[in-house]
Amino acid sequence: MSNYTKSTNFATKDNLSSGNPLKIVKGTEIDTEFNDIATAIATKADLASPTFTGTPTLPTGTVATTQSAGNNTTAIATTAFVQAAIALLYPVGSVYTNASVSTNPGTLLGFGTWTAFGAGRVPVGFDSGNALFDSAEETGGSANAITVTHTHTITDPGHLHTYSKATTTSVQSGNATPCFVSNTTDNTSTAFTGISIDSAGSSGTNANYQPYITVYMWKRTA
């Protein structure tokens, strides 16, 4: 892009005395000026639908660099403004996730300090009414809880059994004939037979994972 600079100061010719050859306006002078003007115009951008070349920049402090987030006008936005607007989407404390790219978001997005976050854990919503979830970044739970060694016991405080017993004390038609009456055992503890039970369990793991999908997670710290 060229700017027009006047080559001949025509006004100074008016102050020259008559007969001074410099007082004459030469055709070459006029031709030079028109050529310089034509070159400058040809290298300027049009007002309507201009096409820029090179690396156009805007002065610091112009609307394009100072407009507020959410501006939906037709104002031109610089890359500085666009970068600042994207940064507002991920303030400090935000978590960024990516399902396939492990590159630090500071490299991908071009701003902020990010650290890997939540390795091996799934996020859960804040709940002020539950002591397990009432603080940000509170952790808990176990991916593979231990079943602790323990003993098993079986007791019998005593119980009764009803049974039938034959007796001949009843007389029917003059003959002593046997009949059966109900009776019960004593209310005492009975030995257990035919029952086996391990006296103790054993320590071991009890994995219980919810359905999950693995992603890369990063937290912005600065």
Side-chain angles (χ1 to χ4, degrees):
M1 179 180 295
S2 299
N3 291 321
Y4 168 67
T5 302
K6 187 169 61 173
S7 300
T8 301
N9 189 344
F10 295 99
T12 60
K13 293 180 178 292
D14 293 338
N15 298 323
L16 297 177
S17 61
S18 297
N20 190 330
L22 295 178
K23 190 176 180 69
I24 300 172
V25 176
K26 299 178 180 179
T28 55
E29 292 176 330
I30 296 175
D31 191 60
T32 297
E33 298 302 329
F34 274 108
N35 288 337
D36 289 345
I37 292 172
T39 298
I41 292 175
T43 57
K44 300 293 183 181
D46 295 331
L47 291 177
S49 303
T51 300
F52 298 113
T53 59
T55 306
T57 60
L58 292 174
T60 300
T62 59
V63 172
T65 57
T66 59
Q67 58 182 294
S68 59
N71 187 328
N72 62 352
T73 69
T74 57
I76 296 174
T78 63
T79 55
F81 169 76
V82 173
Q83 185 76 335
I86 295 175
L88 290 176
L89 298 176
Y90 290 99
V92 173
S94 296
V95 175
Y96 168 89
T97 60
N98 195 305
S100 58
V101 179
S102 62
T103 305
N104 190 300
T107 300
L108 290 176
L109 303 177
F111 63 84
T113 301
W114 301 78
T115 57
F117 180 75
R121 295 183 178 274
V122 295
V124 63
F126 179 89
D127 184 356
S128 61
N130 188 327
L132 296 176
F133 314 121
D134 61 356
S135 298
E137 295 190 42
E138 191 170 6
T139 59
S142 173
N144 210 6
I146 299 298
T147 302
V148 182
T149 300
H150 58 284
T151 59
H152 298 274
T153 59
I154 184 169
T155 58
D156 178 19
H159 58 279
L160 302 174
H161 290 278
T162 301
Y163 63 93
S164 296
K165 177 180 181 182
T167 179
T168 57
T169 57
S170 298
V171 178
Q172 296 180 359
S173 303
N175 296 317
T177 57
C179 62
F180 296 90
V181 296
S182 295
N183 205 346
T184 58
T185 62
D186 293 334
N187 186 16
T188 58
S189 178
T190 304
F192 300 103
T193 60
I195 299 176
S196 62
I197 186 169
D198 292 337
S199 62
S202 59
S203 293
T205 58
N206 183 28
N208 184 19
Y209 294 101
Q210 62 181 338
Y212 62 87
I213 186 168
T214 301
V215 298
Y216 297 101
M217 290 197 298
W218 301 81
K219 176 188 172 184
R220 185 180 177 188
T221 58

Coordinates of all heavy atoms in Angstrom, one line a residue, residues 96 101-116 218:
Y96 N -11.4 -28.9 31.6 CA -11.5 -29.2 30.1 C -11.3 -30.7 29.9 O -10.5 -31.4 30.5 CB -10.3 -28.5 29.4 CG -10.1 -28.9 28.0 CD1 -10.7 -28.2 26.9 CD2 -9.2 -29.9 27.7 CE1 -10.5 -28.6 25.6 CE2 -9.0 -30.2 26.3 CZ -9.6 -29.6 25.3 OH -9.4 -30.0 24.0
V101 N -7.5 -36.5 22.5 CA -6.3 -35.8 22.4 C -5.8 -35.5 23.8 O -6.5 -34.9 24.6 CB -6.5 -34.4 21.6 CG1 -5.1 -33.7 21.6 CG2 -7.0 -34.7 20.2
S102 N -4.5 -35.9 24.1 CA -4.0 -35.8 25.4 C -3.1 -34.5 25.6 O -2.5 -34.3 26.6 CB -3.1 -37.0 25.7 OG -2.0 -37.1 24.8
T103 N -3.0 -33.7 24.5 CA -2.2 -32.5 24.6 C -2.8 -31.5 25.6 O -4.0 -31.3 25.7 CB -2.2 -31.8 23.2 OG1 -1.8 -32.7 22.2 CG2 -1.3 -30.6 23.2
N104 N -1.9 -30.8 26.3 CA -2.2 -29.9 27.3 C -3.1 -28.7 26.7 O -2.7 -28.2 25.7 CB -1.0 -29.3 28.0 CG -1.2 -28.4 29.2 OD1 -1.9 -27.4 29.1 ND2 -0.7 -28.8 30.3
P105 N -4.2 -28.4 27.3 CA -5.0 -27.3 26.7 C -4.3 -26.0 26.6 O -4.7 -25.2 25.7 CB -6.2 -27.2 27.7 CG -6.2 -28.5 28.4 CD -4.8 -29.0 28.5
G106 N -3.3 -25.7 27.4 CA -2.5 -24.5 27.2 C -1.9 -24.4 25.8 O -1.8 -23.3 25.2
T107 N -1.6 -25.6 25.3 CA -1.0 -25.6 23.9 C -2.2 -25.6 22.9 O -2.1 -24.9 21.9 CB -0.2 -26.9 23.7 OG1 0.9 -26.9 24.6 CG2 0.4 -27.0 22.3
L108 N -3.2 -26.3 23.1 CA -4.3 -26.4 22.2 C -5.1 -25.1 22.1 O -5.4 -24.6 21.0 CB -5.3 -27.5 22.6 CG -4.9 -28.9 22.5 CD1 -5.9 -29.9 23.1 CD2 -4.6 -29.3 21.0
L109 N -5.3 -24.4 23.2 CA -6.2 -23.2 23.2 C -5.3 -21.9 23.2 O -5.8 -20.9 22.9 CB -7.1 -23.2 24.5 CG -8.0 -24.4 24.6 CD1 -8.8 -24.3 25.9 CD2 -8.9 -24.5 23.4
G110 N -4.1 -22.0 23.6 CA -3.2 -20.9 23.6 C -3.3 -20.0 24.8 O -2.8 -18.8 24.7
F111 N -3.8 -20.4 25.9 CA -3.8 -19.6 27.1 C -4.0 -20.5 28.3 O -4.4 -21.6 28.3 CB -5.0 -18.6 27.1 CG -6.4 -19.3 27.1 CD1 -7.0 -19.7 28.2 CD2 -7.0 -19.6 25.9 CE1 -8.2 -20.3 28.2 CE2 -8.3 -20.2 25.9 CZ -8.9 -20.6 27.0
G112 N -3.6 -19.9 29.5 CA -3.8 -20.5 30.8 C -2.8 -21.5 31.1 O -2.0 -22.0 30.3
T113 N -2.8 -21.9 32.4 CA -1.9 -22.9 33.0 C -2.9 -24.1 33.4 O -3.8 -23.9 34.1 CB -1.1 -22.5 34.2 OG1 -0.3 -21.4 33.8 CG2 -0.3 -23.6 34.8
W114 N -2.6 -25.3 32.9 CA -3.5 -26.4 33.1 C -2.7 -27.6 33.7 O -1.6 -27.8 33.3 CB -4.1 -26.8 31.8 CG -4.9 -25.8 31.1 CD1 -4.4 -24.7 30.3 CD2 -6.3 -25.6 31.0 NE1 -5.4 -24.0 29.9 CE2 -6.6 -24.5 30.3 CE3 -7.4 -26.4 31.6 CZ2 -7.9 -24.1 30.0 CZ3 -8.7 -26.0 31.3 CH2 -8.9 -24.8 30.5
T115 N -3.4 -28.3 34.6 CA -2.8 -29.5 35.2 C -3.8 -30.7 35.0 O -5.0 -30.5 35.0 CB -2.5 -29.3 36.7 OG1 -3.7 -29.0 37.4 CG2 -1.5 -28.2 36.9
A116 N -3.2 -31.9 34.8 CA -4.0 -33.1 34.7 C -4.9 -33.2 35.9 O -4.5 -32.9 37.0 CB -3.2 -34.3 34.5
W218 N -8.4 -31.9 32.3 CA -7.4 -30.9 32.8 C -8.1 -29.8 33.5 O -9.3 -29.5 33.2 CB -6.7 -30.3 31.6 CG -6.0 -31.3 30.7 CD1 -6.5 -32.1 29.7 CD2 -4.6 -31.5 30.7 NE1 -5.5 -32.8 29.1 CE2 -4.3 -32.5 29.7 CE3 -3.5 -31.0 31.5 CZ2 -3.0 -33.0 29.5 CZ3 -2.2 -31.5 31.2 CH2 -2.0 -32.5 30.2

